[in-house]
Amino acid sequence: YGTNKSADDVIQTVGLRKKTKSKMIDLDDNFDYSDYNQQQSEVQLQEPSLDELRGQLGPLGLLVSNTIELTIVTLGSFISGGLLGYFGGGVMNVPSTLFGKSMGSFGQRLAALNAKAFVTCKTWGTLSAAFSGFNNFVRLCRGDVDDNWNTVIGSALTGAFLSRNSGPQAMLQGAATYAGFTYFLDKMTRSPETSQRQSELMYTDVPIDG
């Protein structure tokens, strides 16, 4: 059957809960949030940045960190470029493959379209991975310096890499062509106003004296 609580016990229990809840609210109202925010700010200032963590690494640790970063960037660029090339190549080859004459049955047309899209996928993926990988490689070799020369030198290495099957002379021509085109394109698209705006957005961390 169990035991039933009386009305007085219920009233006392409810009164105790209300009293406890009001006490918690009073404690929250009396809490000094300014000291808490100041302590949290000091903790955040003491946390090292990514550059500071990289500076604490030894030669072997820095080599491993740079290798992982280079691998992730290159692989991500190959996947994104390959997907874009597959869909782009498929769309561009739809009129000539699906609606062309003497292409066989519909299944054969789809197989031919998939083959052409896969070729474009491989080409665009390789090109994207080469550009991103070599640019990041040059930046890491220059001590994490980020400027326009990374793009120019990376483009030269990309041109040499893409022409590697045609001999040393073709590699030199490819490197000069890619680097020259990248340098010319950068000079044409970069205006003095853009350079001035970028310099205005640059800032320097200054330690705050306590």
Side-chain angles (χ1 to χ4, degrees), residues 3-209:
T3 60
N4 295 327
K5 291 183 179 180
S6 62
D8 295 336
D9 294 336
V10 175
I11 294 174
Q12 290 179 1
T13 304
V14 174
L16 180 61
R17 290 179 180 176
K18 289 184 177 180
K19 185 176 180 181
T20 305
K21 185 176 181 182
S22 63
K23 186 177 180 181
M24 292 176 61
I25 294 175
D26 293 339
L27 290 175
D28 291 338
D29 293 338
N30 295 328
F31 187 75
D32 191 357
Y33 289 98
S34 60
D35 293 340
Y36 177 77
N37 293 332
Q38 184 178 0
Q39 293 176 1
Q40 292 298 319
S41 300
E42 292 177 357
V43 172
Q44 292 179 358
L45 291 175
Q46 293 176 358
E47 293 180 356
S49 61
L50 182 59
D51 294 335
E52 292 176 351
L53 292 176
R54 289 173 64 91
Q56 296 176 1
L57 295 175
L60 182 59
L62 190 60
L63 177 62
V64 173
S65 175
N66 292 339
T67 303
I68 294 175
E69 179 182 354
L70 183 62
T71 302
I72 294 175
V73 170
T74 305
L75 183 60
S77 298
F78 180 81
I79 294 175
S80 60
L83 291 175
L84 183 62
Y86 184 84
F87 289 107
V91 171
M92 290 186 296
N93 289 304
V94 164
S96 60
T97 305
L98 295 183
F99 304 104
K101 297 180 179 180
S102 302
M103 292 296 296
S105 62
F106 184 74
Q108 294 176 346
R109 294 170 187 264
L110 287 179
L113 180 62
N114 178 68
K116 293 180 180 180
F118 186 76
V119 172
T120 309
C121 165
K122 184 179 179 180
T123 302
W124 286 25
T126 303
L127 184 62
S128 178
F131 267 109
S132 300
F134 282 120
N135 289 349
N136 194 48
F137 174 75
V138 173
R139 178 180 61 82
L140 295 175
C141 290
R142 298 180 63 205
D144 208 19
V145 177
D146 192 6
D147 55 15
N148 297 330
W149 288 108
N150 294 336
T151 306
V152 175
I153 300 174
S155 298
L157 295 176
T158 301
F161 174 76
L162 296 178
S163 304
R164 64 189 183 280
N165 295 329
S166 301
Q169 185 176 358
M171 292 177 64
L172 290 176
Q173 292 178 355
T177 301
Y178 275 73
F181 179 77
T182 302
Y183 182 81
F184 175 77
L185 186 63
D186 180 73
K187 289 298 181 180
M188 291 296 295
T189 56
R190 183 178 298 274
S191 61
E193 296 179 355
T194 304
S195 302
Q196 183 179 1
R197 190 179 301 110
Q198 290 181 351
S199 62
E200 292 176 354
L201 293 176
M202 295 178 63
Y203 63 92
T204 305
D205 293 332
V206 179
I208 300 176
D209 296 332

